[in-house]
């Protein structure tokens, strides 16, 4: 083999290598631009929800439905469960309203906060940390979505709840900067909100607030150190418990009506990358 032939072969091999590398890079780039399979996904989640035992116990989740083929992915599931960090499952119901909420024919992506009632026995004094959503099809196969943690605390029903109304605006905010609520004192004595609990995941500034007899007051709580919230698909749900003083200093613990949700706006590129991590089982929390 002469020098010219060797040179020509070397050039051909080099071109082939470059072509293979370029082709692989193109495939990788195309994959990054593609969306994962149509299905139901759940955002990174933190939350605390306090319920008195007489209330209906629900878990509020921000779900993402990806449906490029024009079909509602929730239709293929028959059952839904929420599982605690200790492996206890609570079943809920997939109603037609939930299916409709998660499907928008005019879009390929729908994002909705869905409130799922939990079926089961709940005992006051217990705390449940929910970390997984399990979607089960008619054949019994399961799709498991780990979502972070929502802590649900079960409070004994309070007599004070019949004399006061603590109401949280059922609001949705893109900024995790404040928490607001209204308390209506229906008694003929002053009531003091000693403190409220929003879970261990947040730093916030709160001071005791006195509410005069037969009056209502709007109260704001400021969050601290929340920089970076909204940079990824995050969701926060809050329904706090309140420690109150009433009836000449008697202490009460109460829950509130309503809940407030927070989730920052993100780009499609960030959402697409996050959903691929969900599919590949990568750590995302």
């Amino acid at each position: 083999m002469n020098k010219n032939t060797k040179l020509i072969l070397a050039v051909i091999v080099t071109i082939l290598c470059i072509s293979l590398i370029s082709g692989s890079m193109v495939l990788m780039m195309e994959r990054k631009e593609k969306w994962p399979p149509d299905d139901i996904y759940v955002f990174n989640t933190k939350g605390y929800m306090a319920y008195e035992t007489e209330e209906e116990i629900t878990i509020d989740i921000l779900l993402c439905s990806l449906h490029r083929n024009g079909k509602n992915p929730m239709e293929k599931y028959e059952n839904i469960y929420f599982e605690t960090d200790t492996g206890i499952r609570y079943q809920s119901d997939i109603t037609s309203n939930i299916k409709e909420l998660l499907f928008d024919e005019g879009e390929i992506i729908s994002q909705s906060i869905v409130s799922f009632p939990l079926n089961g026995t709940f005992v006051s004094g217990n705390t449940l940390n929910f970390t997984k959503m399990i979607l089960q099809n008619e054949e019994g196969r399961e799709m498991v979505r780990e979502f972070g943690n929502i802590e649900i605390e079960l409070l004994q029903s309070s007599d004070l709840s019949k004399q006061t109304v603590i109401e949280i605006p059922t609001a949705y905010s893109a900024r995790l900067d404040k928490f607001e609520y209204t308390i209506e004192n229906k008694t003929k004595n002053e009531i003091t909100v000693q403190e409220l609990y929003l879970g261990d995941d947040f730093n916030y500034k709160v001071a005791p607030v006195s509410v005069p007899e037969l009056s209502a007051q709007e109260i704001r709580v400021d969050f601290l150190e929340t920089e970076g919230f909204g940079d990824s698909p995050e969701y926060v749900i809050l329904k706090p418990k309140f420690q109150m003083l009433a009836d000449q200093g008697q202490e009460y613990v109460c829950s509130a009506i309503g809940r407030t949700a927070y989730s920052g706006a993100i780009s499609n590129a960030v959402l697409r990358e996050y959903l691929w991590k969900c599919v590949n089982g990568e750590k995302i929390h």
Side-chain angles (χ1 to χ4, degrees):
M1 185 179 294
N2 57 39
K3 292 183 178 180
N4 290 336
T5 303
K6 289 182 179 180
L7 180 60
I8 293 172
L9 287 174
V11 171
I12 292 173
V13 169
T14 302
I15 292 173
L16 287 173
C17 290
I18 293 173
S19 298
L20 288 171
I21 294 171
S22 300
S24 298
M25 292 179 65
V26 169
L27 288 173
M28 289 175 64
M29 292 301 295
E30 286 181 350
R31 183 185 180 283
K32 287 183 179 179
E33 295 302 318
K34 290 181 180 178
W35 289 90
D38 286 7
D39 215 323
I40 300 296
Y41 300 89
V42 61
F43 276 28
N44 284 319
T45 300
K46 293 180 181 178
Y48 172 82
M49 306 182 79
Y51 289 97
E52 296 181 28
T53 49
E54 292 182 355
E55 294 182 82
E56 181 183 44
I57 312 298
T58 68
I59 187 167
D60 291 18
I61 298 288
L62 177 55
L63 298 181
C64 173
S65 171
L66 184 58
H67 42 264
R68 293 161 302 166
N69 62 8
K71 297 179 180 179
N72 187 344
M74 188 58 94
E75 293 285 354
K76 65 183 178 182
Y77 296 115
E78 296 290 324
N79 298 300
I80 185 167
Y81 303 90
F82 291 92
E83 186 173 295
T84 69
D85 57 350
T86 58
I88 301 173
R89 286 189 177 187
Y90 289 82
Q91 188 171 7
S92 189
D93 300 312
I94 304 177
T95 64
S96 57
N97 288 338
I98 289 175
K99 291 180 179 181
E100 291 175 5
L101 191 64
L102 289 167
F103 184 67
D104 185 345
E105 293 183 357
E107 302 289 340
I108 66 168
I109 305 170
S110 298
Q111 298 175 31
S112 300
I113 297 173
V114 184
S115 184
F116 289 96
L118 299 179
N119 303 321
T121 301
F122 299 93
V123 180
S124 62
N126 286 354
T127 298
L128 303 168
N129 289 287
F130 288 93
T131 59
K132 296 178 183 177
M133 179 182 73
I134 296 98
L135 294 160
Q136 188 182 75
N137 66 16
E138 59 183 4
E139 298 173 350
R141 295 182 180 177
E142 296 182 346
M143 172 68 73
V144 179
R145 297 292 189 208
E146 296 188 18
F147 57 76
N149 183 72
I150 293 180
E151 178 184 355
I152 291 183
E153 185 172 0
L154 306 166
L155 311 176
Q156 186 174 357
S157 296
S158 170
D159 293 336
L160 189 62
S161 297
K162 301 173 184 177
Q163 305 173 68
T164 63
V165 178
I166 307 173
E167 189 168 1
I168 301 166
T170 304
Y172 178 87
S173 175
R175 297 184 62 189
L176 187 65
D177 58 351
K178 63 183 178 180
F179 178 83
E180 297 178 312
Y181 67 96
T182 300
I183 180 168
E184 181 182 0
N185 181 3
K186 298 181 178 181
T187 74
K188 294 182 179 180
N189 297 293
E190 182 181 78
I191 289 176
T192 300
V193 182
Q194 284 188 298
E195 60 180 278
L196 76 163
Y197 179 67
L198 296 167
D200 292 334
D201 291 323
F202 310 100
N203 293 323
Y204 48 93
K205 180 167 47 178
V206 61
V209 177
S210 294
V211 183
E213 61 182 276
L214 302 174
S215 66
Q217 190 165 338
E218 295 182 357
I219 302 168
R220 167 175 169 160
V221 176
D222 292 320
F223 288 108
L224 308 174
E225 301 175 5
T226 59
E227 293 82 2
F229 175 78
D231 294 341
S232 63
E234 294 176 289
Y235 167 68
V236 170
I237 183 73
L238 294 173
K239 183 182 185 294
K241 70 176 177 182
F242 295 80
Q243 292 187 356
M244 318 275 284
L245 284 180
D247 301 329
Q248 287 77 48
Q250 185 172 348
E251 293 187 355
Y252 294 89
V253 177
C254 307
S255 64
I257 299 171
R259 67 270 287 153
T260 298
Y262 303 83
S263 184
I266 58 169
S267 67
N268 278 350
V270 172
L271 178 60
R272 183 170 57 242
E273 181 181 1
Y274 171 82
L275 297 184
W276 272 117
K277 289 180 179 180
C278 292
V279 170
N280 296 326
E282 298 179 26
K283 293 292 184 180
I284 51 179
H285 307 296

